[in-house]
């Protein structure tokens, strides 16, 4: 386990700036393994040692894996001058540490993973891994088997031809409902694929990324940490070539 400065650990947990947490230590409000800490620069192993602040235990986690049901109107970024971001939806002690894995358009809803595990994020987004992204969509217009066949071949767009994609028709009519599974995640890709056939996506929700499914009990804007089982499924899925940190 890695040793870290106490003031750095406290600051990373959102308890204040380095200057502010040093004051907490100097005021005798921080204990390590039952003893009052006197040196903000003392080295600790936060995963193994008991650290309390004003009597409250510090629940330290080096790696965070958070599932968010992204609502519309929120951007998949860590900061934005105009819009609320996905990290703004999280408590500060999480939000300032994590980043979104990939992005969903501002009006797209659904599954978004946020983490501070850069290796996992890289693997999930790597084209070599071909991690599937599955979406539920409502389409203005009638979706037919011809579209299913075209998606399976790959759709030619202005700047590239998509990899073969799976299109499943749930209902077909003036407004059709479908499921789409792609292995890329290029800008507006699903919308552009339908637009190539004169069809408009009027609602889009990501429901799966690799083996990770959206928790249907999460309302838009709600989030939770991944379970150990979900994390292990992700590890197995992407460890074909490179491991996930643990």
């Amino acid at each position: 386990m890695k040793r870290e400065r106490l003031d750095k650990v406290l600051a990373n947990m959102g308890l204040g700036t380095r200057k502010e947490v040093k004051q907490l230590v100097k005021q005798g409000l921080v204990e390590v393994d039952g003893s009052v800490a006197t040196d903000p620069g003392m080295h600790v192993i936060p995963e193994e040692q008991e650290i309390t602040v004003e009597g409250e235990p510090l629940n330290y986690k080096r790696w965070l894996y958070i599932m968010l049901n992204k609502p519309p109107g929120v951007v998949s970024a860590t900061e934005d001058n105009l819009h609320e971001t996905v990290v703004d939806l999280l408590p500060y002690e999480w939000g300032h540490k994590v980043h979104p894995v990939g992005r969903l358009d501002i009006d797209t809803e659904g599954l978004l993973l946020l983490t501070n595990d850069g290796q996992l994020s890289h693997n999930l987004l790597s084209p070599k891994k071909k991690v599937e992204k599955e979406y539920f969509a409502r389409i203005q217009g009638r979706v037919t088997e011809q579209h299913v066949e075209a998606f399976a071949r790959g759709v030619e767009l202005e700047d590239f031809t998509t990899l073969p994609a799976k299109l499943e028709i749930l209902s077909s009519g003036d407004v059709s409902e479908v499921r789409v599974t792609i292995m890329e995640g290029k800008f507006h890709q699903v919308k552009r694929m339908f637009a190539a056939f004169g069809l408009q996506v009027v609602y889009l929700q990501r429901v799966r990324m690799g083996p990770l499914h959206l928790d249907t009990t999460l309302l838009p804007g709600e989030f939770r940490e991944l379970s150990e089982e979900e994390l292990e499924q992700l590890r197995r899925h992407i460890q074909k070539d490179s491991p996930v940190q643990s």
Side-chain angles (χ1 to χ4, degrees):
M1 292 290 183
K2 181 181 177 182
R3 289 183 175 273
E4 297 185 55
R5 285 177 58 105
L6 177 60
D7 55 359
K8 181 180 178 182
V9 171
L10 298 177
N12 284 343
M13 288 299 293
L15 295 174
T17 65
R18 291 281 280 271
K19 182 177 180 180
E20 290 170 339
V21 298
K22 285 178 180 177
Q23 288 301 316
L24 289 176
V25 175
K26 290 179 179 179
Q27 292 169 17
L29 300 176
V30 180
E31 294 186 2
V32 178
D33 292 334
S35 299
V36 175
T38 57
D39 179 9
M42 71 178 291
H43 284 79
V44 296
I45 304 177
E47 294 96 337
E48 294 184 352
Q49 294 180 271
E50 181 184 10
I51 302 173
T52 62
V53 180
E54 297 186 79
E56 294 294 324
L58 188 69
N59 183 21
Y60 181 86
K61 293 185 178 181
R62 185 177 299 276
W63 304 114
L64 290 171
Y65 306 92
I66 301 166
M67 177 191 295
L68 169 70
N69 185 357
K70 178 193 168 300
V74 178
V75 295
S76 301
T78 55
E79 57 182 38
D80 189 275
N81 293 329
L82 298 176
H83 302 95
E84 186 178 25
T85 71
V86 289
V87 298
D88 291 333
L89 301 175
L90 307 178
Y92 176 78
E93 61 267 25
W94 286 359
H96 82 288
K97 293 179 68 173
V98 299
H99 63 269
V101 180
R103 55 165 297 168
L104 295 176
D105 294 340
I106 189 169
D107 58 345
T108 300
E109 302 181 20
L111 174 63
L112 187 66
L113 177 64
L114 298 104
T115 184
N116 59 343
D117 186 335
Q119 187 63 59
L120 177 140
S121 181
H122 170 77
N123 283 330
L124 286 175
L125 298 175
S126 171
K128 294 180 180 179
K129 297 293 183 179
K130 296 182 179 178
V131 176
E132 292 184 341
K133 292 93 173 172
E134 182 179 342
Y135 297 82
F136 168 78
R138 292 193 184 96
I139 311 298
Q140 188 71 47
R142 186 175 297 275
V143 180
T144 69
E145 287 300 322
Q146 288 181 319
H147 298 121
V148 174
E149 294 169 3
F151 272 50
R153 292 192 298 267
V155 179
E156 186 175 344
L157 304 177
E158 289 182 5
D159 50 343
F160 76 104
T161 299
T162 71
L163 292 174
K166 180 181 178 182
L167 173 59
E168 179 186 0
I169 301 173
L170 304 178
S171 65
S172 182
D174 293 339
V175 176
S176 302
E177 293 190 346
V178 301
R179 287 189 182 274
V180 186
T181 303
I182 62 176
M183 288 184 289
E184 302 154 295
K186 298 186 184 294
F187 189 60
H188 293 323
Q189 181 172 333
V190 174
K191 296 174 183 177
R192 294 179 65 197
M193 291 172 75
F194 282 103
F197 301 96
L199 300 170
Q200 181 185 2
V201 176
V202 294
Y203 176 80
L204 190 62
Q205 178 193 46
R206 184 156 69 189
V207 296
R208 180 173 65 86
M209 187 175 189
L212 187 63
H213 292 259
L214 176 65
D215 184 341
T216 56
T217 67
L218 292 177
L219 297 175
E222 292 186 337
F223 55 86
R224 65 166 173 80
E225 291 187 81
L226 295 191
S227 67
E228 285 298 323
E229 181 180 359
E230 289 169 331
L231 185 54
E232 184 58 32
Q233 288 174 346
L234 278 179
R235 286 185 172 130
R236 288 199 302 265
H237 191 75
I238 64 177
Q239 272 181 343
K240 300 167 188 174
D241 298 312
S242 51
V244 181
Q245 299 177 39
S246 60

